[in-house]
Amino acid sequence: APTPVTETVDIISETPRRSRRETAKPVKKKKSHLKAFFISLLIFLALISAGGYFGYQYVLASLEPVDPTSKEYVTVQIPDGASVQEIGSTLEKAGLVKHGIVFGMYTKYKNYSDLKAGYYNLQKSMSTDDLIKELQKGGTAEAQEPVLASLTIPEGYTIDQIAQAVGQLQGNFKEPLTADAFLAKVQDDNFISQEVSKYSNLLESLPTKESGARYR
C-alpha cells in the first residue's frame, strides 16, 4: 500500500511546475510580437517620409524646363475644348514638358482654368509656369512662323541708324544680331536678290548700288 501513495504525491507535485513553465512561454511571444510591430511601424514611417521627400523633388524637377539652353521653337496645336490632361499630353509628346500628368495636376492645383486653344510657337527652355502664361494668351487660328523680335524703323532713318536699332534687339536668335552683321547682310548681293525674288511686290522698286543708293 505505501508505494502507490508515494507515486500519487509525485504526480501531483510535478503537475503545477509543468503548468507554470507552459504558461510563461506565451508572455515572451507577446513581447516579441510587440517589438516586431514597433520596428515595422518605424520602418513604414521612414519609408513614407522618404517617399514624400523624393516625390516632392520629382514634382519640382518636372516643372523645370526640358532644355534650358534650347532656342528652337516647337509648334503645337491645342484643340478647342481640350482638358488640362489632354493639353499636358500634347505638350509632353512635343517635348515641351517632362510629364504631362504632372502638368495637368499642377494646373489644377493652381486653378489655371483659362488655357486657350490655337496654334502656339513654344520653346523647350520654358518652365511650366512660362508655358501656362503663353497658353493663357491664346493661340492663332493657323500655324505661323515664330516672331523672334519686333522692330519699328522711324521714317527718315539712315542705314547706320537702322543698323544700330537692329543691334539693340532682344530675342532668341541662333546667332548674335549686331549692327555690323546687319550692314554686312544688306550689302550681300545674293541675299538681296533672294529677298527681291521672294517679296517682289514689296521690293520691286528697291534702288540698286548702281543708282547711287547707299548701302555702306
Side-chain angles (χ1 to χ4, degrees):
T3 302
V5 173
T6 303
E7 290 177 356
T8 303
V9 172
D10 290 340
I11 293 171
I12 294 172
S13 61
E14 289 176 0
T15 301
R17 282 199 287 270
R18 286 199 301 270
S19 178
R20 283 195 295 271
R21 285 196 298 270
E22 290 172 356
T23 56
K25 290 180 180 178
V27 175
K28 293 181 180 179
K29 288 181 180 179
K30 287 181 180 179
K31 289 182 179 179
S32 177
H33 290 322
L34 189 62
K35 182 178 180 181
F37 170 76
F38 278 113
I39 292 175
S40 300
L41 180 61
L42 290 174
I43 294 174
F44 177 71
L45 293 175
L47 288 174
I48 291 178
S49 177
Y53 172 78
F54 288 113
Y56 177 72
Q57 295 299 321
Y58 176 83
V59 171
L60 288 183
S62 298
L63 300 177
E64 294 177 352
V66 173
D67 185 358
T69 62
S70 177
K71 294 184 179 181
E72 295 183 1
Y73 283 87
V74 179
T75 302
V76 295
Q77 180 190 16
I78 304 300
D80 189 23
S83 64
V84 290
Q85 291 90 347
E86 291 171 334
I87 294 175
S89 177
T90 299
L91 296 177
E92 181 179 354
K93 290 178 181 178
L96 292 165
V97 297
K98 297 177 181 178
H99 303 286
I101 294 177
V102 175
F103 175 89
M105 294 173 61
Y106 181 75
T107 303
K108 287 185 176 180
Y109 173 75
K110 287 286 191 177
N111 293 322
Y112 293 135
S113 59
D114 54 347
L115 306 185
K116 299 178 175 62
Y119 286 90
Y120 293 86
N121 292 314
L122 306 172
Q123 293 178 291
K124 295 181 180 181
S125 58
M126 292 179 171
S127 66
T128 298
D129 284 313
D130 293 334
L131 292 170
I132 290 173
K133 289 178 181 178
E134 289 298 317
L135 294 174
Q136 288 175 328
K137 296 177 182 178
T140 57
E142 297 179 358
Q144 298 182 358
E145 292 292 326
V147 177
L148 301 180
S150 178
L151 174 65
T152 301
I153 301 175
E155 185 178 358
Y157 255 36
T158 65
I159 194 70
D160 293 319
Q161 289 174 315
I162 295 174
Q164 292 300 319
V166 169
Q168 295 175 4
L169 286 175
Q170 300 294 324
N172 296 316
F173 305 112
K174 293 183 179 180
E175 299 178 1
L177 193 59
T178 64
D180 290 338
F182 173 80
L183 289 174
K185 201 68 175 178
V186 297
Q187 296 176 75
D188 186 340
D189 292 332
N190 292 331
F191 170 75
I192 294 174
S193 298
Q194 291 175 3
E195 295 305 303
V196 170
S197 176
K198 188 185 298 184
Y199 306 103
S200 57
N201 293 334
L202 179 64
L203 302 176
E204 61 181 356
S205 60
L206 184 70
T208 62
K209 294 179 182 179
E210 289 75 13
S211 64
R214 181 178 181 273
Y215 288 95
R216 300 182 181 277

